[in-house]
Amino acid sequence: MANVSVAAEWQLLYNRYYRKPEIYQMRWKHVDLSRNKVACASFGGPIAVIRDDSKIVQLYAESALRKLRIFNSAGVLLSETVWKHPGGRLIGMSWSDDQTLISIVQDGTIYRYNIHAELIGPNVTMGKECFEQNVVECVFWGNGVVCLTEGGQLFCISDFKTMKPYKLADVPGLTEDDMLQPTCLAVREPQYTMSGNVEVLVAVGEEIYVVDEDEAQTIRFDEPSVEDSETQNDDYGNLIGPVQKMIVSPNGKFLTLFTHDGRIVVVGMESKQIAIDYSCESALPPQQMAWCGMDSVLLYWDEDLMMVGPLGDPVHYFYDEPVILIPECDGVRILSNTSLEFLQRVPDSTESIFKIGSTSPAALLYDALDHFDRRSAKADENLRLIRSSLSEAVESCIDAAGHEFDVTRQRALLRAASYGQAFSSNFQRDRVQETCRTLRVLNAVRDPNIGIPLSIQQYKLLTPVVLISRLINAHSHLLALRISEYLGMNKEVVIMHWACAKITASPSTPDAHLLEILLDKLQLCRGISYAAVATHADNCGRRKLAAMLVEHEPRSTKQVPLLLSIGEEDTALVKATESGDTDLVYLVIFHIWQKRPPLEFFAMIQGRILARDLFVAYARCHKQEFLKDFFLSTGQIHEVAFLLWKESWDMGKNPMASKGSPLHGPRIKLIEKASNLFSQTKEHTFESKAAEEHAKLLRIQHELEASTKQAIFVDSSINDTIRTCIVLRNNRAAAKVKSEFKVSDKRWYWLKTFALATIKDWEALEKFSKEKRPPTGFRPFVEACIDADEKAEALKYIPKLSDLVERGEAYARIGMAKEAADAAAQANDGGELLERFRKTFSQNAIFDTLKMPFQGVS
């Protein structure tokens, strides 16, 4: 009998059953759908209602001001606001995929509202042409809209996230002839088109145009189906005639047309073949058309809802009140003044169980449970009959339970599945638990106070993540939290949204008390971002609360930027330095640098070593003048002196600082200033003296360049300066440099010897060697001559070397093996030098001639 009562509610359309259970009795009062514009969101979303200003209606006990009211699917009022926007008549409104209400008025202005009837700014316009020509019709799809103007032009927004309108191609003849107007529009969504762009179908006269951004093309559905090819003539497609209404199927593959002579024609968008052709009793176009899944089409006239399928007679449903058709992926929700129903094709699993006279394994299993409850032996007999198909029967019961809205029937089907599962060894045990989990979630959100009547197919397509997002947007935080915990999902999003909503809704609550309330919930989720909640508090003008919240943020990368944004620079600097993250420290330094006076900035960073060192490192490269101010303010005079000295070197790298440039004057002054600053500290006496001598050297070098007119002295060392003077035969200048900088005689001999060898002035070199006994000996003379590859000159000085080892090595370097061997033999080094010479000369061609002398010496 239970099967009979269930199946009695079904309607047969050819060979397919449909059912129309009532989901809710609407809880709203004094809402007449015929007097209002209504926008219903898919996936059991909210319903927006506003009085239709295109109709003359009688006002009862209500204000003359129009109100935009938003209800859930059960008719529970969620929010409302007074509609007082300029721009003319409201042309259309619809919900986007993220449940934003999009409203378009006559001048093309778009107003957006959230589910709480709060206006989302800024407002967007469809463009200048829409403003001038006025919008007369708009067609929405999931996340876009197409508008038609009085001038016959089409404008489109393909994505409400970007809100960028653009013009579509002109329909031939529509813009030229004011009397020619489209009879209807339909949209093929971008994901179903070959080009990936939106396509608009426009019916004008007897033609249907497909319009995109680039062009408008005529399409003709003039190919009969294979079954009808023998009975239909070649001109069959021309009989379609003017179209009064059309809609595209949910998958974009079929187009439903209602023609001028009252026919329903369903054609393939790609194949152009006619799948359905049914003549209605009335040629009056329906008020609404909608696809019911992918199996049938609904047409609604006053009091009559007709469902047409591919074959067979249509099914009629009669209503004594206006209804709104809301297409879903697996059916159509039917909204009336008093109820919400869901029309869908009966699932195969449900049909196999409850169909009258069904003997399927699932039906016998469901019947077996009934017998078992009545303690009848018939239960065992049924199980024996379906033993081979028991797993299939259990699966059908589980699937049928998932498609049910009635909780009692869900429980009965799941009990039948559990009963059969006990006798099945090869069935997956977690299927029942998984379905129970899903149904608990669905039943929770189907509660009238929540009002989201999702079917299981819609739930799987929507995904739990999106469902939770919609719940928190509707401020159903407790349910969203419980579902997240039940499904093992991350609770952070729910708790954070709740915290932000709590701050917004509690403007008069003291900060300390509100912080206690927030922390009580925020601590439930480890790793939650306190900084994000604190940012929201700051945006709401609760800066003190934001500072208190950010103290609990464990991640410095999120904590420090927020502290800066709320003006807590001192705390931000402390947190940044404690973290050791140099990027964060630099962020704080630059922020304070811009916001605070210099002295205050210096005082803040002076006591924090990491911040001070990073600032100094940066300023040395980019802000040296500012760094001088910092060192002066902190009493580090020697650091200022080092900066001045470095600045003088940088100035010397300037290509203009050569050939007697006046830049040498500023350089010398900088170095002298650095020397004076160094002299003020006892620890930097050496640096003071060095800077003083550097300035003196620069002055002498500048004078030398001016006198010689050669830019070869500045920034060279004392040794190089002396050597260059001797090379230029300016012995007086060289002697002056020697005297000024107290160059020792040994260094003087080395420098002059090599300088004279460089210019190959051997006569002067010999004369220099005889002036007095050289303090360095004659080694510099030997080295200079050998380096200049002058063996003859070197032989003048090698015999004068007093050290026999040096003399032997000098002979060896100029290739005089015999003399080298004699000197080595006389050296008192234990034969070490002689052995080294033997290895050296053993590979030379003259080794044979040297062998005897070496043996003799040995």
Side-chain angles (χ1 to χ4, degrees), residues 647-671 698 702 714-715:
E647 186 179 344
S648 73
W649 279 107
D650 294 339
M651 191 180 294
K653 297 176 183 178
N654 191 328
M656 294 298 295
S658 61
K659 299 182 180 179
S661 169
L663 287 178
H664 290 300
R667 282 193 66 191
I668 295 172
K669 289 181 180 178
L670 285 175
I671 298 172
L698 270 180
H702 178 56
V714 173
D715 288 334

Side-chain angles (χ1 to χ4, degrees), residues 220-224 233-241 263 274:
R220 296 180 63 83
F221 304 101
D222 51 6
E223 298 182 11
N233 55 44
D234 294 338
D235 198 38
Y236 179 81
N238 297 336
L239 299 177
I240 292 180
R263 290 163 48 217
I274 297 177

Side-chain angles (χ1 to χ4, degrees), residues 293 517 529 842:
I517 296 173
S529 176
S842 63

Side-chain angles (χ1 to χ4, degrees), residues 803-812 816-838 841 853-854 857-858:
D803 190 334
L804 293 175
V805 174
E806 291 180 357
R807 187 188 305 171
E809 289 177 343
Y811 278 127
M816 299 179 68
K818 183 177 182 304
E819 289 77 3
D822 291 340
Q826 298 175 23
N828 189 18
D829 63 347
E832 180 181 347
L833 182 61
L834 185 63
E835 184 65 27
R836 182 149 49 91
F837 287 164
R838 179 178 295 161
F841 290 106
F854 275 115
V857 172
S858 300

